Amino acid sequence: AQTVTQSQPEMSVQEAETVTLSCTYDTSENNYYLFWYKQPPSRQMILVIRQEAYKQQNATENRFSVNFQKAAKSFSLKISDSQLGDTAMYFCAFMKYTGANSKLTFGKGITLSVRP
Amino acid sequence: DGGITQSPKYLFRKEGQNVTLSCEQNLNHDAMYWYRQDPGQGLRLIYYSQIVNDFQKGDIAEGYSVSREKKESFPLTVTSAQKNPTAFYLCASSFRDGPYEQYFGPGTRLTVT
């Protein structure tokens, strides 16, 4: 079974600065996907970024980028130029690539606070 | 607008009653999922369905039931057999054959007293 670990329960960052959220996972699979989801106080889960394991290039989406280290089974999220609207819980998630049975396994999340 | 709707946003029930949570999507997604979220925990999968009239148990299916009679709809029933039903419930959907990212509804907060 796959496990996803987010060891930092809370983090805080000053507005406009950069912050990195850590995530590690355990799997014996070679083909899989990794995701970061954001859950603001409204509790709506929003997809932030995704990474395919077969791609060596790290994914980026505007101010959000990942550092994917497949051998180390590490998948961290970097948020640049932090904004107040980035305040949220962030969940790392793993999906084994099985085509028709694509289940997500989530970490326990990290609460990020952006200070004005 | 395309999206996933869940109703109601807040739901209150007495212990011993069954309750059904609604989930509808108009994204033409094949697969639908139900998750439960408790404080301090990530999301845990209750049930999922890849096609109409077929569904599978997730990691915490005991005390829950689902149906998938239409592609757009995947209601979840929380039965009286569920020992700790008070939680935040999230519905999600995705394409069955990719891309695989799941999109979520706004959630339903269920309180059982």
Side-chain angles (χ1 to χ4, degrees):
Chain A
Q2 285 67 233
T3 58
V4 177
T5 302
Q6 296 178 253
S7 56
Q8 310 150 303
E10 294 182 8
M11 288 194 73
S12 179
V13 65
Q14 193 74 31
E15 192 176 9
E17 294 188 344
T18 296
V19 64
T20 298
L21 311 182
S22 301
C23 173
T24 59
Y25 57 94
D26 187 24
T27 184
S28 58
E29 301 292 328
N30 192 47
N31 294 322
Y32 51 87
Y33 297 86
L34 294 162
F35 304 90
W36 278 98
Y37 280 89
K38 167 185 176 180
Q39 188 179 42
S42 67
R43 303 199 78 174
Q44 172 76 56
M45 291 286 284
I46 302 165
L47 176 66
V48 175
I49 200 166
R50 85 172 208 174
Q51 174 80 42
E52 293 90 336
Y54 65 86
K55 290 186 177 178
Q56 291 186 337
Q57 186 172 10
N58 289 324
T60 62
E61 284 289 339
N62 300 313
R63 298 183 294 107
F64 299 89
S65 61
V66 299
N67 183 3
F68 173 49
Q69 302 289 328
K70 190 173 184 180
K73 297 180 182 176
S74 170
F75 182 60
S76 60
L77 175 69
K78 184 172 85 171
I79 305 174
S80 303
D81 184 26
S82 296
Q83 300 176 358
L84 296 178
D86 296 333
T87 292
M89 279 203 75
Y90 287 82
F91 292 94
C92 178
F94 172 99
M95 178 186 290
K96 182 173 67 173
Y97 176 69
T98 59
N101 288 296
S102 47
K103 297 186 289 181
L104 279 172
T105 300
F106 285 86
K108 292 188 175 183
I110 176 171
T111 300
L112 175 67
S113 299
V114 180
R115 306 186 304 273
Chain B
D1 289 337
I4 304 172
T5 57
Q6 290 185 244
S7 61
K9 190 173 177 68
Y10 299 96
L11 192 53
F12 298 88
R13 280 294 182 269
K14 295 290 187 185
E15 198 173 311
Q17 294 179 335
N18 291 356
V19 59
T20 297
L21 281 59
S22 167
C23 178
E24 305 274 336
Q25 55 95 5
N26 60 4
L27 300 169
N28 199 33
H29 285 168
D30 314 285
M32 298 186 73
Y33 310 80
W34 274 106
Y35 294 90
R36 170 180 171 139
Q37 185 177 22
D38 295 286
Q41 300 207 30
L43 278 66
R44 294 182 290 167
L45 182 65
I46 304 172
Y47 267 98
Y48 63 105
S49 168
Q50 300 287 334
I51 56 173
V52 174
N53 292 323
D54 188 49
F55 48 82
Q56 289 79 40
K57 293 182 179 180
D59 301 318
I60 55 166
E62 185 176 350
Y64 299 98
S65 66
V66 293
S67 63
R68 185 87 187 278
E69 297 178 2
K70 299 187 302 181
K71 184 176 182 178
E72 301 78 18
S73 178
F74 190 42
L76 173 75
T77 297
V78 184
T79 74
S80 56
Q82 168 51 231
K83 295 179 181 178
N84 296 297
T86 294
F88 187 62
Y89 291 88
L90 285 156
C91 177
S93 67
S94 71
F95 287 112
R96 182 172 182 262
D97 298 319
Y100 298 106
E101 48 263 43
Q102 295 180 16
Y103 293 90
F104 286 79
T108 292
R109 171 67 183 178
L110 173 65
T111 303
V112 177
T113 57

